[in-house]
Amino acid sequence: MIDLFTPWTFKGLKLKNRVVMPPMCQYSVEKKDGIATDWHYVHYVSRAIGGAGLIIIEMTDIEPDGRITDNDLGLWSDEQIPALARIVDACHKYGAKVAIQIAHAGRKAQDAPVPVAPSAIAFNDQYKTPRALTTDEVKAMPDKYAQAVKRAVQAGFDAIELHGAHGYLIHEFQSAFTNKRTDEYGKDLTKFGTEVSRAAKSEMPARMPLIMRISAIEYVKGGYGLDHSIALARSYKEAGVDLFHVSAGGEGPIAAAGKPGTHAAYQVPFAREVRKAVGTPVIAVGRLDDPALANAVIGNEDAELVAVGRGMLRNPYWTLEAAAKLHKDTNVPMQYLTGFAH
Ligand SMILES: Cc1cc2nc3c(=O)[nH]c(=O)nc-3n(C[C@H](O)[C@H](O)[C@H](O)COP(=O)(O)O)c2cc1C
């Protein structure tokens, strides 16, 4: 029987349990230099002390104009490595493994003077109209992802996640709604994400897993569905992606969206389908902060891992409390043992 507290080994990644902290932007880089601050240190290390098996550091961008805001993390320079390495080392000390989400915000880069995207289509009236990347610029982009991945490997991360979801650059290329190009990157919607995956993989040790976060369905009218995302995932798997983190939406204005309810476990059916169809492990995410429910997702083998986002914003010790509620053993830090005594 497997449950939320069953360890999981996948390639070179050894997790003590199945609980993941998903990437959540903190917009807390005060100096706008992309360098992690004390806030990030305390925020992530608290969740490591709080028992999470895998922590995925928030969207971290490959170039300054690839940030949602100028307060986002970046990995376009070697100067950004040491502050992240310090977080990774401390999380390791408290038993968590750490991944980082490597990204480019594309047309959703709000502070970029002129955001770039596959096509010059604005996200909505409040956003700038992006400039369409030239074919040569598109061809140069995978290497920027690869350079950021190389720096992440130097910082000591245990896994890499590419942000292929929520309407950011990779998603923009893989969607007919945002990609109206007539060059090879428009004719084949998988081409950009595939090239980025290969480039990322080329900078990673062979046993380090590459995760891709995908939006399994789009919420806009006429947006893509599971058939398309499964086809994408198959191509990305061939290009080296080992594990999919299955989210949804983010490509268009929410008001216009046929968004499904955000009831508990609302994205688990997508994770289950991707897992079955693509044959890789998956991370399920989305309103799974009831421990019994998270445990059921693992027990029913809908996903290998479960991510708890807002639940961990409210409570860094979510994992320790989940173990107590489910009557499972976990390593409560010695300093906190009395807090968990029966
Ligand atoms: C404050 C905040 C910031 C987020 N930032 C990111 C991000 O950087 N990258 C990403 O892929 N998703 C991001 N998300 C989405 C979460 O990773 C997660 O998928 C979502 O919150 C649903 O999970 P939950 O119901 O457990 O919160 C963010 C969510 C929140 C609440």
Side-chain angles (χ1 to χ4, degrees):
M1 280 293 289
I2 52 165
D3 62 48
L4 201 54
F5 290 88
T6 308
W8 191 61
T9 299
F10 181 60
K11 303 186 94 179
L13 181 69
K14 284 188 173 41
L15 304 181
K16 65 178 175 185
N17 60 43
R18 307 301 185 98
V19 182
V20 177
M21 178 189 192
M24 287 183 286
C25 279
Q26 298 296 295
Y27 308 108
S28 295
V29 178
E30 292 121 21
K31 291 187 185 153
K32 305 187 175 183
D33 54 6
I35 297 177
T37 64
D38 281 356
W39 174 269
H40 297 96
Y41 182 85
V42 173
H43 173 69
Y44 290 111
V45 179
S46 302
R47 275 71 190 175
I49 290 174
L54 177 67
I55 291 170
I56 307 178
I57 301 248
E58 68 203 69
M59 174 158 171
T60 298
D61 303 301
I62 62 168
E63 62 181 6
D65 284 353
R67 291 175 289 182
I68 302 175
T69 77
D70 288 351
N71 303 103
D72 294 7
L73 291 179
L75 255 181
W76 61 80
S77 155
D78 288 352
E79 285 166 22
Q80 293 154 339
I81 297 173
L84 288 172
R86 181 170 167 254
I87 295 173
V88 173
D89 287 349
C91 289
H92 283 166
K93 187 170 163 197
Y94 298 114
K97 297 292 165 66
V98 201
I100 185 165
Q101 189 182 53
I102 302 296
H104 189 300
R107 69 176 186 161
K108 289 168 85 175
Q110 295 169 29
D111 289 346
V114 186
V116 294
S119 302
I121 307 167
F123 180 69
N124 68 23
D125 295 350
Q126 268 87 60
Y127 281 71
K128 292 168 194 150
T129 300
R131 176 176 71 75
L133 289 159
T134 66
T135 303
D136 283 346
E137 286 173 327
V138 178
K139 285 186 196 299
M141 204 54 94
D143 188 54
K144 294 184 190 177
Y145 280 89
Q147 293 309 311
V149 167
K150 187 178 176 179
R151 294 188 182 99
V153 171
Q154 280 173 32
F157 283 97
D158 304 289
I160 302 293
E161 176 168 295
L162 292 173
H163 202 340
H166 302 169
Y168 298 109
L169 193 64
I170 295 176
H171 183 170
E172 288 164 21
F173 270 94
Q174 68 201 16
S175 168
F177 171 69
T178 40
N179 183 348
K180 308 281 186 199
R181 300 179 71 87
T182 52
D183 65 4
E184 66 246 59
Y185 293 95
K187 292 198 183 100
D188 175 2
L189 298 179
T190 68
K191 188 171 170 62
F192 183 71
T194 303
E195 287 183 2
V196 172
S197 303
R198 284 213 181 90
K201 200 74 178 181
S202 73
E203 295 295 344
M204 295 165 59
R207 290 179 53 71
M208 182 184 286
L210 178 61
I211 309 166
M212 169 80 88
R213 197 168 225 213
I214 52 167
S215 283
I217 61 161
E218 294 188 306
Y219 296 150
V220 285
K221 218 168 165 217
Y224 70 67
L226 257 178
D227 285 354
H228 181 66
S229 58
I230 285 171
L232 289 170
R234 286 193 174 124
S235 299
Y236 297 158
K237 179 187 176 189
E238 239 179 79
V241 173
D242 301 294
L243 174 64
F244 288 93
H245 192 170
V246 185
S247 189
E251 72 292 338
I254 298 276
K259 191 177 180 183
T262 48
H263 50 271
Y266 64 104
Q267 294 177 146
V268 170
F270 306 141
R272 186 191 302 136
E273 288 303 316
V274 170
R275 181 178 186 270
K276 212 164 46 188
V278 183
T280 60
V282 296
I283 307 173
V285 63
R287 294 238 184 262
L288 291 170
D289 40 300
D290 172 345
L293 185 61
N295 198 44
V297 171
I298 301 299
N300 288 336
E301 298 186 43
D302 290 329
E304 277 68 16
L305 301 172
V306 162
V308 177
R310 287 163 289 183
M312 276 200 209
L313 288 185
R314 287 194 300 277
N315 178 8
Y317 310 107
W318 186 92
T319 313
L320 300 181
E321 291 203 337
K325 281 199 182 122
L326 297 170
H327 306 291
K328 300 289 174 192
D329 283 337
T330 195
N331 292 333
V332 176
M334 173 274 289
Q335 296 89 334
Y336 292 175
L337 271 174
T338 49
F340 290 85
H342 303 297

